[in-house]
C-alpha cells in the first residue's frame, strides 16, 4: 500500500507515553508539516503554540480538566502525561478559521504518526481561550485577541499498542447522481 495512505489508516490516538521527551528533530518535522495544512484562501491564519515546560503542562492539564462537562477525579490527566503539548489557535476574523485550525490539527496528528510519534487530539481549547485567563495568555504570547482555541495535540513516544480501529461505518460514503 502507498506509505501515506497506510499512515493515514494506521494512525490511532495514543494515550500512554514513554517517560521521555520527543526529539527536537521529530518535533520540528511535525510542526513544519502542520504549517503546510490547507487553509481557506491559503491565509495560514492558525498558530501552533508549543509547550514543553512540565509545570506549564501540569497547569494546562488541570485547566483542561476543569472544562469537562462531568465531574472527573482530580488525578485524571486529560493530557495523558505527555511531555509535549501543542495548542492550535486560529483567527476568528477569517471566515474559515475553525476549518483552518482543524486542518492543521489533522496534519499534525498524521505527521506525528509518520515519524513514529504518538499523538492524541485533545478538546476544550475553545473554552480555555474564551476565558479571561485564556485572553491574558494570548496577550502574554503576543497573539491578537481575535484568536480562538481550536484544539490541542499531545505528543510522545507510544507506550501502548495502537488500538484496533472501530469498523468503518457502512454508510460513511455515499455515491449520488
Ligand atoms: C474534535 C476532536 C476532539 C477530541 N477530543 C479528545 C479528547 O479531549 N480526549 C481524548 O482522549 N481524545 C480526543 N479525541 C480523539 C478521539 O477520541 C479519537 O480520534 C477517536 O476516538 C477515534 O480514535 P482514533 O484517533 O484512534 O482513530 C478527539 C478527536 C477529535 C477529532
Amino acid at each position: 500500500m502507498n506509505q501515506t495512505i497506510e499512515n493515514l489508516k494506521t494512525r490511532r490516538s495514543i494515550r500512554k507515553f514513554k517517560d521521555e521527551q520527543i526529539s527536537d528533530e521529530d518535533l520540528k518535522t511535525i510542526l513544519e508539516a502542520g504549517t503546510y495544512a490547507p487553509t481557506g484562501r491559503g491565509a495560514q491564519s492558525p498558530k501552533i503554540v508549543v509547550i514543553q515546560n512540565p509545570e506549564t503542562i501540569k497547569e494546562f492539564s488541570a485547566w483542561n480538566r476543569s472544562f469537562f462537562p462531568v465531574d472527573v477525579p482530580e488525578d485524571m490527566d486529560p493530557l495523558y502525561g505527555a511531555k509535549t503539548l501543542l495548542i492550535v489557535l486560529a483567527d476568528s476574523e477569517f471566515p474559515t478559521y475553525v476549518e483552518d485550525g482543524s486542518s492543521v490539527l489533522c496534519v499534525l496528528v498524521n505527521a506525528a504518526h509518520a515519524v513514529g510519534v504518538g499523538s492524541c487530539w485533545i478538546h476544550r481549547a475553545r473554552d480555555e481561550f474564551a476565558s479571561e485567563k485564556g485572553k491574558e495568555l494570548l496577550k502574554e504570547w503576543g497573539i491578537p485577541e481575535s484568536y480562538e482555541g481550536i484544539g490541542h495535540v499531545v505528543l510522545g513516544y507510544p507506550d501502548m499498542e495502537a488500538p484496533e480501529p472501530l469498523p468503518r461505518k457502512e454508510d460513511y460514503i455515499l455515491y449520488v447522481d
Side-chain angles (χ1 to χ4, degrees), residues 5-16:
I5 300 296
E6 186 171 343
N7 283 338
L8 289 168
K9 290 175 76 175
T10 56
R11 180 215 54 80
R12 297 277 73 78
S13 293
I14 297 299
R15 297 185 175 93
K16 191 164 189 283

Side-chain angles (χ1 to χ4, degrees), residues 12 40 65 73 78 85 139 149 168-169:
R12 297 277 73 78
R65 191 176 53 237
L85 171 66
K139 207 182 274 177
R168 298 298 96 178
K169 288 186 171 174

Side-chain angles (χ1 to χ4, degrees), residues 40-167:
R41 292 192 188 168
Q44 301 179 38
S45 89
K47 292 196 185 293
I48 309 168
V49 178
V50 185
I51 301 178
Q52 292 191 310
N53 180 323
E55 283 308 309
T56 314
I57 292 181
K58 221 167 132 189
E59 281 172 31
F60 264 88
S61 171
W63 194 27
N64 190 276
R65 191 176 53 237
S66 74
F67 292 108
F68 266 63
V70 289
D71 276 346
V72 283
E74 288 260 319
D75 59 355
M76 188 273 176
D77 176 8
L79 308 182
Y80 305 114
K83 293 181 180 301
T84 297
L85 171 66
L86 309 181
I87 306 166
V88 174
L89 307 163
D91 192 344
S92 63
E93 292 197 345
F94 285 85
T96 57
Y97 75 105
V98 176
E99 291 84 353
D100 294 348
S102 303
S103 170
V104 171
L105 286 154
C106 277
V107 172
L108 290 171
V109 293
N110 284 298
H113 178 54
V115 294
V117 171
S119 72
C120 190
W121 180 321
I122 306 291
H123 199 43
R124 296 166 292 281
R126 188 175 307 147
D127 303 296
E128 290 168 359
F129 289 89
S131 72
E132 273 315 303
K133 180 176 166 181
K135 304 240 176 272
E136 273 168 36
L137 277 176
L138 290 181
K139 207 182 274 177
E140 190 182 316
W141 296 340
I143 295 175
E145 60 181 316
S146 53
Y147 275 73
E148 292 183 12
I150 308 297
H152 319 72
V153 176
V154 288
L155 295 174
Y157 296 121
D159 192 20
M160 60 177 270
E161 289 293 315
E164 277 298 309
L166 291 174

